[in-house]
Every structure is written in C-alpha cells, then in structure tokens.
Amino acid sequence: VTARRIDGTAVAADVRAAVAADVAAFVAAGGPKPGLATVLVGDDPASHVYVRSKRRVSEELGIASLHHDVPATASQAEVEGLVERLNADATVHGILVQSPLPDGLDEEAVFARIDPAKDVDGLTPVSLGRLVLGQPGLRPCTPSGVLELLRRYEVPLEGARAVVVGRSTLVGKPVALLLLEANCTVTLCHSRTRDLAGELRRADILVAAIGRPGLITKDMVAPGAVVIDVGINRTPDGLRGDVHPDVAEVASALTPVPGGVGPMTIAMLMRNTLDAARSLAPTP
Ligand code: NDP
C-alpha cells in the first residue's frame, strides 16, 4: 500500500483564495482593508525569510502589510512600546511578532502585551487560555493548519484515537487541544514517554511535531493510520520531516515535507487576520 498524499500546497492555495475572496467581500461591504503588522527584531536569516513570505502573501490577498524592522539592540521597553502602539492603531488588525526574539529580550512578556483581539498568531496567554476553555478566539496557525488538512481530507475525528508527539506551546499542546475539541481521544507524547512506539501503534491519527528527522518509522505506525508530519528539519540532504519515508508503506494518508503542513501556517495566519478585522470592525 502507498499512503494517499495529503497535499498541503493545494489546500493552502484553496484557503488563500477563499481568504482573498472574503477580504474583497468584507471591503465591498464597507469594512476597512485588513492590516497585518509584522515585527522583526534583529537579523535572524530564517526569520527574515518567514516574515518576507508572510508580507508577500498578505499583499496578494488584499491585506495591507505594515512592517516594522527593529534593531537587535532594542530594549524590552522599546519592543513592548511598539506593540502598544500597534494595539492602539486602528489600521492594524493583526500583530505578528516574529519568534525567536534576540537573546536578552523576554519573548513571553512581549507576546503578553499583544491585544488578544489582534493576536493572529494565537500564542498570547489570553488566546491560549480561550483555547483551553473552549471559548471563541484566534487559534495558533500551525495547529489550526493541521486540523484544516484533516477536515479537508474528511478524516473521521469523532472518537478517533489521536496521538501527538511533541508538547511545545507552539505546536504540540495546541494541536492536542484542537483534536480534543474535535472529539478525538488524545494522547500527548514527549521525550519522557516510556513506550513511544507502543503509544503510536494505537493511533488512528498521528501528529509528529518533534524536530528529529525520520524519528517515526513504519514499525511504529498502525496500518491505515493518517499521519501528519509537522517537522521541518534541515539536513545535509535537504528538508526532512519527523516521519521516515517508509511510513508511506503502512499509513493510509501522509503529509509530505515540504508541501504538507508548512504552507498551511501562512494560509491560516491570513484567515486569522481577516477574522480579527471582522471582529474589530464589524460591517453592517
Ligand atoms: P520543540 O523543540 O519546541 O518541541 C519538540 C517536542 O518534541 C518536545 O515536546 C520534546 O519533548 C519532543 N521530543 C523531542 N525528542 C523526542 C523524542 N526522541 N521522542 C519523543 N518526543 C520528543 O519544537 P516545536 O514544537 O517548535 O517544533 C517541532 C517541529 O515542527 C520542528 O521540526 C519545527 O521545525 C516544526 N515546525 C513546523 C512548523 C510549520 O510547519 N509551519 C511551525 C512550527 C514548527 P520534551 O518536551 O520532553 O522536551
């Protein structure tokens, strides 16, 4: 058997097209042009690449890209002050402070300053609290991209056994909470999990967000499982996921790396920005 390929590039293009149409309708109905403020502190090369793509995609979809470059020498108070100004700026509907911040800056404290109504990354304490409470709110982008892929491919979620590997605040924990909200029975594994293979073999749905190339091999996967590989690992042979390619021999469906979850993150960021604009500036 060869697993069906879950095509994140195609789904992300669909999501972006839907957001572009919805942005146009929102503006035609009298809404303001949605604005996404990106804040890049310092000169981490990977962060530059990410922010550049976020800016390009927002412009393509009719969302204003309002960018702020901040020198690595900026103080905590300066960065937090910028966030406060963006909170108060009515042309800004979404605020994205690119992680990681340079050493010496307290990233959590900066995130905590972001107005939850503009928290399009979904990573502030209030947004994460709303996720735990099951209240409406902006959800983290990569995790909601994972759920969007499962829904688009009509993977049955209710009652399914979902196993997530990785418990970061960025990916693993929110993915687990979103799967729980979708009525999966969720197991969350991490580096101290006693019998990882044993846990994984019980999974109908397996989500890997680990950061270890090829860690999940076919002997750890139940025949017919749906496997979502969030991992993006730079190796001498190029980008690799956390899931070994041999898993395609047993899984029923699998996301490729690249071209799986990766493209979904920016697409979901765009949807969050539109949703934020809609709730900040409701049209009649
Ligand atoms: P973190 O390093 O923050 O978390 C990794 C998690 O994996 C931890 O919970 C850790 O456990 C667990 N882990 C590490 N080694 C093992 C092991 N041998 N067995 C079981 N669990 C293990 O990573 P992130 O969550 O930020 O990212 C995970 C991956 O996803 C990375 O490859 C990253 O590049 C990718 N990523 C992709 C995105 C996208 O597609 N757009 C967005 C964000 C991330 P413990 O907590 O015990 O240390």
Side-chain angles (χ1 to χ4, degrees):
V1 206
T2 301
R4 184 174 182 201
R5 177 189 163 93
I6 297 181
D7 188 345
T9 304
V11 175
D14 260 21
V15 171
R16 290 196 306 269
V19 172
D22 291 350
V23 166
F26 175 68
V27 172
K33 185 180 172 94
L36 173 62
T38 45
V39 176
L40 181 57
V41 187
D43 34 40
D44 178 66
S47 295
H48 267 277
V49 174
Y50 294 142
V51 169
R52 209 179 306 130
S53 350
K54 290 167 187 175
R55 295 182 62 192
R56 180 178 47 77
V57 175
S58 33
E59 293 288 2
E60 282 169 11
L61 306 191
I63 294 171
S65 166
L66 312 154
H67 181 65
H68 295 263
D69 266 316
V70 179
T73 51
S75 68
Q76 183 76 24
E78 283 165 341
V79 180
E80 290 187 25
L82 171 59
V83 169
E84 292 294 358
R85 287 198 298 286
L86 297 172
N87 285 342
D89 183 340
T91 66
V92 171
H93 304 98
I95 301 172
L96 181 135
V97 178
Q98 183 64 45
S99 172
L101 292 182
D103 288 346
L105 291 173
D106 179 348
E107 183 167 293
E108 270 186 34
V110 171
F111 284 2
R113 286 275 174 181
I114 299 172
D115 178 347
K118 300 188 177 187
D119 176 24
V120 286
D121 243 352
L123 295 172
T124 63
V126 171
S127 297
L128 291 169
R130 286 177 179 163
L131 172 60
V132 172
L133 292 166
Q135 293 174 355
L138 295 162
R139 304 301 192 218
C141 300
T142 303
S144 52
V146 169
L147 270 287
E148 185 73 24
L149 287 176
L150 292 170
R151 293 213 170 88
R152 294 275 176 136
Y153 278 79
E154 297 178 345
V155 176
L157 298 178
E158 185 153 328
R161 266 198 281 260
V163 179
V164 179
V165 193
R167 55 173 161 179
S168 72
T169 304
L170 183 60
V171 191
K173 267 188 225 173
V175 165
L177 288 163
L178 289 172
L179 290 165
L180 189 61
E181 197 169 71
N183 295 318
C184 293
T185 301
V186 181
T187 303
L188 188 47
C189 300
H190 45 77
S191 68
R192 317 289 172 89
T193 295
R194 199 182 304 142
D195 174 18
L196 183 65
E199 299 293 344
L200 292 181
R201 276 195 292 264
R202 293 156 44 83
D204 303 313
I205 299 167
L206 193 166
V207 181
I210 313 164
R212 302 272 184 280
L215 183 91
I216 311 260
T217 47
K218 70 174 179 186
D219 54 301
M220 303 164 94
V221 177
V226 173
V227 179
I228 306 289
D229 189 354
V230 183
I232 299 180
N233 307 292
R234 279 166 227 286
T235 75
D237 307 321
L239 288 187
R240 290 286 182 269
D242 293 337
V243 175
H244 193 280
D246 72 8
V247 168
E249 295 166 28
V250 291
S252 64
L254 173 63
T255 56
V257 176
V261 177
M264 294 301 294
T265 300
I266 293 186
M268 302 316 285
L269 174 68
M270 297 302 136
R271 179 175 287 169
N272 274 353
T273 304
L274 172 61
D275 287 346
R278 279 177 170 148
S279 37
L280 286 161
T283 51

